[in-house]
Amino acid sequence: MAARPRSAPPDQAALVARVRTLLVDRTVREVSMFGGRALLVDGVMLCSVGRGGDLLARVGPDAAARLLAEPGASPAEMGAGRAMGPGWVTVARDALATDDSLRAWVDACLAHHRTKT
């Protein structure tokens, strides 16, 4: 018997949909990665949405130094105590409650993305 695909948790699915809305004019692909749903733009990872509705933002080291001062932002970890390195920021679900706050984070990811493509 084939396994049924698991549906995304509600918080994750809702945030993925909100991010996709901000990327409507781009080619976006979703991939399971980092324990979440990574959104790739033009084949390059832009960000990832965690199962709990948090955002793993790929913003680059220079921007991360500034953005870590934002509410709900923390250095990203790949497991407890294992830093992902400079340029990766986890943004708490509550800090993404408004469209403006989410847009600011997606814009930061897009700014870094332009340096990678």
Side-chain angles (χ1 to χ4, degrees), residues 36 45 97 103 106:
M45 184 182 154
R103 183 181 319 278
V106 170

Side-chain angles (χ1 to χ4, degrees), residues 16-32:
V16 167
R18 288 177 63 211
V19 172
R20 276 189 162 281
T21 298
L22 297 174
L23 302 172
V24 70
D25 61 336
R26 300 178 182 270
T27 302
V28 178
R29 186 168 61 102
E30 286 181 42
V31 177
S32 292

Side-chain angles (χ1 to χ4, degrees), residues 40-64:
L40 285 67
V41 173
D42 302 322
V44 177
M45 184 182 154
L46 183 72
C47 60
S48 181
V49 177
R51 296 183 62 76
D54 58 322
L55 184 74
L56 173 62
R58 184 178 186 201
V59 296
D62 295 337

Side-chain angles (χ1 to χ4, degrees), residues 46 56-68 86-89 91 104-113 115:
L46 183 72
L56 173 62
R58 184 178 186 201
V59 296
D62 295 337
R66 174 179 47 83
L67 292 169
L68 283 169
W88 296 90
V89 177
V91 186
W105 281 103
V106 170
D107 285 349
C109 293
L110 286 168
H112 178 67
H113 180 269
T115 71

